[in-house]
Amino acid sequence: MRITDTSDLWWKTAVVYCLDVETFMDWNDDGVGDFEGLAHRMDYLNELGITCLWLMPFYPSPGRDDGYDVSEYYGIDERLGNFGDFVEMIRMARDRGIRVIIDLVVNHTSDEHPWFVQSRSSRDNPYRDYYVWRDTPPRGKQDVVFPDVEDSVWELDETTGQYYLHHFYSFQPDLNVTNPKVRDEVAKIMGFWLELGVSGFRVDAVPFLIDPTGVEHAEGALEDPLDFLKSLRAFLGRRSGDAIMLGEANLPHREQVRYFGGRDADGLTMQFDFIAMQNLYLSLARGDARPLTKALRGRPRIAVEAQWANFVRNHDELTLDKLSDEERQEVFAAFGPEPQQQVYGRGIVRRLPGMLGGDPRRIRMVYSLMFSLPGTPVLFYGEEIGMGEDTRVHDRTSVRTPMQWTNGPNGGFSNADPGALAAAIPDDGFSPAHVNASEQRHDPDSLLHFMKLLIHRYRASAELGWGELEILRQGSASVLVHTVSGGEGRMLALHNLAGDPVTTSFVLPDSGPDDVLVDLLVDGRTLTPGEGGKLSIPLDGYGYRWFRVLPTGSKRLG
Ligand code: GLC
């Protein structure tokens, strides 16, 4: 039996589901989601078909950046549960074949973390060098991540009269990873959670983590900052052979290749493809597949032991920072024209269904497209049922509302008083009365059912995780026709990004005279290519089709 191209590297064909325990399911009715609630929803997640849970930060935290300001790495926010609940949840997930990865936020800590409290107390404190201190901020402008809120990445600390580095908010001082003690601390944190059963980490803010600002000439500064990342990967490999590092690195593709560790693949295991994601929105705004096509064509070849993570939305603003100013304005105009829908001059604080005016055809087309791209798909909780954002909130928290389970009070998330909820529930056309998991579970025409179908088709099509992309030439600018081929076989997908129906004609390369194409999403009917692989396939407005390409004699299920 050949073992590659199937599940040898589990994450190459995983379906990742990101959630925040705080807003997923509240079991003790205090208004805050908890691990027990999540455990009770494990069967829902299993039924959906996801294979990997990514938990957003659940550590003790002052909660000024939704938990990305960690004040204790070896703890659990007590509102969410305790270690017993955590381990029980991991066991339940594993029992259903679901792995759990967790957010590793080590570019910075909260300013309430005991290390920082020590560090800022005096210049000769043993923890002083855990952070980056300077007498004067370096000259030249350093880009701040949150331009609406911060005007510098350096903050004066009165007690000791020096400035500390904070790429993000000023309450998130950056750790000094040139300090070998800090590097050891990071490894120890990873080792700790691995022992508790996690299968890896979503590594937060990677470019900032390894950015040498302020420590260029420090003792212990690495010649190549990527070596730090590689040392963490090596440590991970020693402790747990199949654990992963899924990196958040919103960078041009060519730089991402370096973060993967190039041909050696000894850096990040997976990285989100922010470039394809941003160009997807430009394509949607224009009803023109070409920006996305260009982004996908520009994806560099990566080692077989590396992987792209495909996503449509995440828990942050929809960042459009890699588009040109004009392109960004086009996307703003199409999907977030109101100033209160935009943040930091670069992003939109909405979920996909709101941006697409709730049009079910268009929403389905986008997810069909995402699942058909080579790589590993990542969903943000609530996407499977088409949740909207809280339009009364004008920052990135608008998309972090509680999961909508039923059409009952608080959307079935909690029996607490609405005022006590971790976040308010949308009250518009996307409220639980209109969008909830319970009703969709019983409705075969629901988005939830469609998502299940996509997930199951994806999981049965290993070439999508392992294979090579080819974008086929055809005449319609609004259409993307692509194949993904790997050892398992070949998939053909068609997507129409515009609202008008179109018939697209193209040649399926390398097709034999008796090849059969089996429809995988609509009706299971078959098609046979004409001479030389010629095909002509009609698509509805926002239409989408997936076909399994079965050569003569193939034993694969269609
Ligand atoms: C990442 C997270 C974001 C957080 C930031 C700082 O970008 O996705 O939510 O604010 O890191 O930790």
Side-chain angles (χ1 to χ4, degrees):
M1 188 175 102
R2 291 173 58 241
I3 55 167
T4 51
D5 287 26
T6 51
S7 59
D8 186 39
L9 301 174
W10 64 268
W11 38 271
K12 291 221 47 151
T13 47
V15 180
V16 182
Y17 186 94
C18 166
L19 67 85
D20 189 351
V21 177
E22 189 181 352
T23 49
F24 198 60
M25 184 66 209
D26 173 19
W27 211 253
N28 65 359
D29 288 333
D30 63 352
V32 179
D34 40 46
F35 280 104
E36 202 180 348
L38 169 55
H40 281 278
R41 288 294 183 258
M42 210 53 88
D43 285 319
Y44 167 84
L45 295 170
N46 191 32
E47 201 178 280
L48 180 58
I50 59 113
T51 61
C52 177
L53 266 182
W54 151 25
L55 301 185
M56 288 168 62
F58 49 78
Y59 313 100
S61 158
R64 296 174 70 190
D65 183 20
D66 204 29
Y68 283 91
D69 45 336
V70 179
S71 55
E72 165 62 289
Y73 289 107
Y74 301 107
I76 287 175
D77 179 340
E78 58 183 21
R79 298 170 311 151
L80 313 185
N82 59 31
F83 277 108
D85 301 318
F86 180 84
V87 170
E88 193 57 22
M89 177 278 303
I90 295 262
R91 191 203 64 80
M92 288 183 70
R94 189 183 292 151
D95 188 45
R96 288 153 179 80
I98 298 174
R99 296 174 206 245
V100 179
I101 65 171
I102 61 176
D103 241 293
L104 180 71
V105 191
V106 288
N107 168 66
H108 47 262
T109 67
S110 156
D111 60 357
E112 293 184 24
H113 193 289
W115 296 338
F116 191 67
V117 173
Q118 291 281 327
S119 182
R120 78 192 318 182
S121 67
S122 75
R123 289 195 188 199
D124 55 7
N125 186 280
Y127 286 93
R128 187 69 172 176
D129 285 344
Y130 268 48
Y131 297 85
V132 182
W133 295 96
R134 281 273 190 125
D135 286 332
T136 45
R139 255 180 283 171
K141 204 175 142 348
Q142 262 259 279
D143 283 341
V144 290
V145 179
F146 300 125
D148 302 7
V149 190
E150 303 287 348
D151 52 18
S152 166
V153 297
W154 294 95
E155 182 81 3
L156 177 64
D157 194 49
E158 302 283 347
T159 322
T160 56
Q162 282 189 313
Y163 292 80
Y164 63 85
L165 177 69
H166 64 89
H167 276 107
F168 293 86
Y169 297 108
S170 59
F171 55 80
Q172 289 167 323
D174 279 25
L175 282 165
N176 171 13
V177 299
T178 63
N179 181 344
K181 287 190 192 149
V182 171
R183 295 207 286 260
D184 277 357
E185 298 276 13
V186 173
K188 213 191 325 178
I189 293 163
M190 294 170 77
F192 175 81
W193 291 101
L194 287 170
E195 289 301 313
L196 291 189
V198 306
S199 297
F201 303 90
R202 178 263 188 185
V203 190
D204 187 62
V206 182
F208 302 99
L209 173 63
I210 62 172
D211 176 44
T213 299
V215 289
E216 297 91 332
H217 311 295
E219 202 182 321
L222 297 162
E223 227 164 82
D224 181 355
L226 284 166
D227 287 347
F228 172 51
L229 213 54
K230 294 180 183 179
S231 73
L232 292 180
R233 175 70 187 279
F235 173 81
L236 188 70
R238 292 196 301 276
R239 289 293 172 92
S240 171
D242 69 348
I244 60 163
M245 282 164 56
L246 163 57
E248 182 207 21
N250 176 7
L251 295 171
H253 280 145
R254 61 177 183 284
E255 283 191 56
Q256 290 190 287
V257 175
R258 293 176 51 236
Y259 280 55
F260 279 127
R263 253 193 243 159
D264 296 336
D266 56 355
L268 294 168
T269 330
M270 294 210 268
Q271 291 182 66
F272 295 102
D273 188 345
F274 278 91
I275 302 298
M277 182 280 288
Q278 300 191 27
N279 280 284
L280 165 67
Y281 282 93
L282 183 58
S283 271
L284 291 172
R286 291 182 180 168
D288 181 340
R290 286 173 297 183
L292 176 63
T293 304
K294 188 164 168 234
L296 292 171
R297 285 218 165 101
R299 260 190 188 181
R301 186 173 285 276
I302 54 174
V304 97
E305 301 86 359
Q307 179 74 316
W308 297 108
N310 297 316
F311 70 112
V312 165
R313 279 298 281 118
N314 67 13
H315 60 285
D316 290 328
E317 74 279 6
L318 161 61
T319 184
L320 302 166
D321 66 334
K322 297 291 183 288
L323 301 180
S324 72
D325 291 344
E326 295 77 45
E327 292 168 343
R328 190 167 35 254
Q329 290 309 325
E330 277 181 67
V331 181
F332 279 160
F335 300 135
E338 307 296 331
Q340 67 269 21
Q341 295 168 332
Q342 303 168 9
V343 285
Y344 316 134
R346 64 163 182 255
I348 300 181
V349 291
R350 307 183 75 186
R351 281 181 178 253
L352 180 80
M355 290 190 275
L356 299 188
D359 183 342
R361 295 174 308 160
R362 224 172 161 192
I363 296 168
R364 285 169 202 227
M365 183 275 291
V366 172
Y367 287 109
S368 164
L369 180 52
M370 173 178 92
F371 275 91
S372 74
L373 294 178
T376 296
V378 181
L379 288 170
F380 180 48
Y381 76 95
E383 282 193 283
E384 73 276 26
I385 54 171
M387 270 169 55
E389 66 281 350
D390 186 344
T391 51
R392 299 158 299 188
V393 177
H394 305 141
D395 59 34
R396 37 169 38 187
T397 60
S398 60
V399 303
R400 301 173 183 170
T401 59
M403 178 67 185
Q404 296 174 189
W405 295 107
T406 70
N407 64 8
N410 298 332
F413 161 71
S414 169
N415 291 326
D417 187 85
L421 299 187
I425 312 253
D427 67 347
D428 57 5
F430 293 97
S431 74
H434 305 276
V435 177
N436 68 76
S438 177
E439 285 174 355
Q440 292 194 23
R441 283 181 78 214
H442 301 287
D443 175 2
D445 296 325
S446 64
L447 181 61
L448 180 63
H449 270 258
F450 180 67
M451 285 288 196
K452 280 185 198 170
L453 179 64
L454 287 177
I455 291 173
H456 286 91
R457 291 289 186 259
Y458 172 86
R459 288 182 57 189
S461 309
E463 65 266 45
L464 291 175
W466 290 85
E468 297 276 330
L469 172 73
E470 187 175 351
I471 296 174
L472 306 188
R473 292 172 67 88
Q474 44 78 46
S476 312
S478 69
V479 174
L480 176 70
V481 179
H482 70 279
T483 62
V484 187
S485 321
E488 280 293 299
R490 183 146 65 135
M491 169 78 85
L492 165 71
L494 291 78
H495 291 88
N496 180 7
L497 279 78
D500 295 328
V502 57
T503 294
T504 171
S505 304
F506 56 95
V507 170
L508 182 68
D510 309 317
S511 76
D514 300 316
D515 282 4
V516 171
L517 308 188
V518 185
D519 170 280
L520 289 183
L521 295 183
V522 182
D523 52 15
R525 283 208 232 155
T526 56
L527 281 180
T528 335
E531 203 178 319
K534 278 199 191 133
L535 281 158
S536 215
I537 300 180
L539 289 170
D540 295 337
Y542 305 121
Y544 48 84
R545 305 293 302 267
W546 287 27
F547 296 96
R548 176 129 22 258
V549 183
L550 295 179
T552 327
S554 169
K555 298 203 180 79
R556 209 172 175 203
L557 284 178

